[in-house]
């Protein structure tokens, strides 16, 4: 009787703690999503001025500077004890960084060797390919409601942003490689954080030097191939340097929020968020910059927003059902499951962690090219 009374007294405390953790996790996810949207839209505006007004067309090289500044910022932060670095085995983090760097370079090449319309189609294809890969290799299940809402979203973004569709063999091959590298990279961003129990900050700190190194070496050649101009021969005025510094500062938030969003939600949710950014950037151009638009553009944005609303509704509903199902488990089982959850990287994830998968034997994608805002 004494044990029963004691257990009865402790049960509400455990439930209250879980409710507090759930509320904190939701607030963390909302904060990550908000930071991602705000910083991405800001960097698009900054970089659009760099390109259109100041004539700085060197996207890949600029992205390498973004990653280099991100690394040094995180280095100072860890020296000041804002976070504790966590070692990751060299093979994993180097492979991870190289893949991300290659992915960014491929995105820029894809835009350079394809029409804008085909490039937009390439970005739209990332979501269905991610779903296919996660279904095959991670046994993840996506409900029909989620799939239908994503189809509505992709239809809307396609109507709003896809114009011409000019195909060529080289551009198509680059597009396929871009999709593969981006999908695998974003899935690994999520899986590394969950399986190795590292936070988004720790993972970004460990991988950003390798990503930056890849782009520092290849960036000038890629940019010269695409623009026929030499980044080292550019006239760096005070205004250009000031906007490059501003772009690099915003990129720290973009890179950090990218890892944070993918770690606390999923690669598919990050892609949905990316399409929201696209709609916001298009709307900004129509309203503020007076860019030309048509009824088709407006209709596409409205359809996309409707699809995002459906995706959010079904995601929250399914997450709530999973939470309620987990809440019906015995207290001991809940405590075991809670102890096996990742520390920081996937705190907001509704999916339980499989302890048998804590070892990570195979080798994410940082913020996409700053010029795409994705």
């Amino acid at each position: 009787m004494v044990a029963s009374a004691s257990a009865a007294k402790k049960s509400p405390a455990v439930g209250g703690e879980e409710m507090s953790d759930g509320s904190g996790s939701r607030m963390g996810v909302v904060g990550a999503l908000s930071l991602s949207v705000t910083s991405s839209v800001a960097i698009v505006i900054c970089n659009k001025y760099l390109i259109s007004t100041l004539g700085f067309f060197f996207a890949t090289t600029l992205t390498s500077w973004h990653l280099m500044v991100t690394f040094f910022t995180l280095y100072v932060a860890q020296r000041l004890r804002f976070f504790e670095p966590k070692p990751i085995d060299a093979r994993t983090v180097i492979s991870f960084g190289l893949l991300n760097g290659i992915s960014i370079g491929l995105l820029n090449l894809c835009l350079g060797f394809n029409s804008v319309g085909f490039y937009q189609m390439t970005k739209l294809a990332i979501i269905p390919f991610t779903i296919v890969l996660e279904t095959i290799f991670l046994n993840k299940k996506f409900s029909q409601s989620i799939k239908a809402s994503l189809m509505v979203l992709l239809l809307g973004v396609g109507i709003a942003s896809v114009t011409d569709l000019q195909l060529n063999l080289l551009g198509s091959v680059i597009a396929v490689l871009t999709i593969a590298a981006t999908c695998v990279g974003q899935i690994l961003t999520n899986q590394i954080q969950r399986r190795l129990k590292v936070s988004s900050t720790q993972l970004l700190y460990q991988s950003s030097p390798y990503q930056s190194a890849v782009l520092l070496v290849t960036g000038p050649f890629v940019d010269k191939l695409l623009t026929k101009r030499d980044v080292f021969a550019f006239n760096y005025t005070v205004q250009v340097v000031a906007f490059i510094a501003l772009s690099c500062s915003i990129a720290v938030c973009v890179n950090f929020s990218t890892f944070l969003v993918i770690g606390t939600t999923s690669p598919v949710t990050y892609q949905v968020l990316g399409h929201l950014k696209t709609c916001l950037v298009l709307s900004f151009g129509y309203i503020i910059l007076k860019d030309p638009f048509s009824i088709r553009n407006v209709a596409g944005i409205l359809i996309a927003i409707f699809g995002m609303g459906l995706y959010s509704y079904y995601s929250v509903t399914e997450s709530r059902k999973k939470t309620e199902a987990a809440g019906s488990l015995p207290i001991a089982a809940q405590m075991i499951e809670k102890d096996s959850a990742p520390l920081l990287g996937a705190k907001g994830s509704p999916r339980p962690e499989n302890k048998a998968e804590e070892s990570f034997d195979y080798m994410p994608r940082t913020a996409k090219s700053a010029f795409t805002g994705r």
Side-chain angles (χ1 to χ4, degrees):
M1 291 293 292
V2 174
S4 298
S6 176
K9 288 180 181 178
K10 289 181 181 179
S11 295
V14 174
E17 181 183 342
E18 289 179 352
M19 289 178 63
S20 176
D21 286 347
S23 176
S25 296
R26 285 193 292 272
M27 289 299 294
V29 171
V30 170
L33 296 175
S34 301
L35 177 62
S36 180
V37 171
T38 304
S39 59
S40 294
V41 173
I43 204 168
V44 166
I45 296 171
C46 178
N47 289 342
K48 185 165 186 175
Y49 186 82
L50 261 174
I51 296 173
S52 303
T53 305
L54 302 180
F56 189 85
F57 298 101
F58 311 104
T60 310
T61 302
L62 181 61
T63 306
S64 71
W65 297 344
H66 288 171
L67 289 162
M68 184 169 57
V69 171
T70 297
F71 169 71
F72 284 117
T73 301
L74 291 177
Y75 176 78
V76 172
Q78 67 91 15
R79 295 292 293 179
L80 295 175
R81 306 288 185 179
F82 283 104
F83 73 94
E84 288 294 327
K86 183 174 181 178
I88 304 174
D89 79 274
R91 187 179 66 175
T92 296
V93 75
I94 292 175
S95 301
F96 170 76
L98 293 177
L99 176 64
N100 286 336
I102 292 170
S103 176
I104 297 171
L106 284 172
L107 272 169
N108 290 325
L109 285 174
C110 184
L111 180 57
F113 283 92
N114 291 296
S115 65
V116 174
F118 190 80
Y119 174 72
Q120 291 293 341
M121 287 296 296
T122 300
K123 293 197 294 183
L124 292 177
I126 291 173
I127 285 182
F129 271 87
T130 300
I131 290 176
V132 169
L133 290 177
E134 289 195 310
T135 301
I136 294 174
F137 295 104
L138 300 179
N139 295 319
K140 185 174 180 181
K141 306 298 181 184
F142 295 87
S143 68
Q144 294 300 321
S145 300
I146 291 291
K147 293 177 182 177
S149 64
L150 290 173
M151 288 182 64
V152 174
L153 164 65
L154 296 177
L155 175 65
V157 176
I159 292 173
S161 61
V162 176
T163 51
D164 58 319
L165 283 177
Q166 300 175 11
L167 303 179
N168 66 81
L169 180 59
L170 179 59
S172 299
V173 171
I174 293 175
V176 171
L177 293 175
T178 299
I179 293 170
T182 301
C183 291
V184 172
Q186 290 182 357
I187 291 172
L188 289 181
T189 305
N190 179 274
Q191 292 298 307
I192 288 176
Q193 291 185 58
R194 290 169 186 258
R195 299 189 181 196
L196 297 186
K197 303 185 189 303
V198 295
S199 70
S200 54
T201 310
Q202 292 167 333
L203 181 57
L204 181 58
Y205 174 66
Q206 293 287 337
S207 63
S208 55
Y210 301 102
Q211 298 175 58
S212 178
V214 171
L215 296 176
L216 279 171
V217 172
T218 62
F221 299 102
V222 172
D223 288 333
K224 190 167 186 177
L225 177 65
L226 298 177
T227 66
K228 311 301 181 186
R229 303 179 187 184
D230 188 352
V231 65
F232 301 110
F234 187 78
N235 181 26
Y236 291 89
T237 64
V238 174
Q239 189 178 21
V240 169
V241 172
F243 270 90
I244 289 175
L246 176 61
S247 179
C248 290
S249 300
I250 301 172
V252 175
C253 296
V254 174
N255 290 324
F256 172 72
S257 63
T258 296
F259 277 52
L260 188 60
V261 168
I262 296 177
T264 55
T265 58
S266 70
V268 172
T269 297
Y270 175 72
Q271 282 297 322
V272 171
L273 187 69
H275 291 306
L276 171 61
K277 299 171 193 174
T278 299
C279 292
L280 290 176
V281 170
L282 289 173
S283 301
F284 174 83
Y286 301 149
I287 297 171
I288 307 298
L289 302 179
K290 307 301 180 183
D291 289 343
F293 69 96
S294 63
I295 297 298
R296 170 185 168 178
N297 300 131
V298 176
I301 290 175
L302 293 177
I303 293 173
I305 291 174
F306 177 66
M308 290 173 204
L310 288 177
Y311 176 80
S312 300
Y313 171 76
Y314 290 128
S315 295
V316 171
T317 301
E318 293 179 12
S319 177
R320 187 177 292 122
K321 289 180 180 178
K322 291 179 181 179
T323 303
E324 291 173 354
S328 64
L329 295 174
I331 297 300
Q334 292 184 40
M335 294 302 294
I336 292 173
E337 187 169 309
K338 184 176 178 182
D339 289 341
S340 67
L343 299 178
L344 296 174
K347 188 176 181 181
S349 171
R351 294 192 295 276
E353 188 74 13
N354 185 350
K355 289 186 75 66
E357 295 178 341
E358 286 184 2
S359 62
F360 192 82
D361 297 325
Y362 58 93
M363 77 133 232
R365 167 95 169 96
T366 182
K368 293 189 176 69
S369 170
F371 288 81
T372 66
R374 296 288 307 283

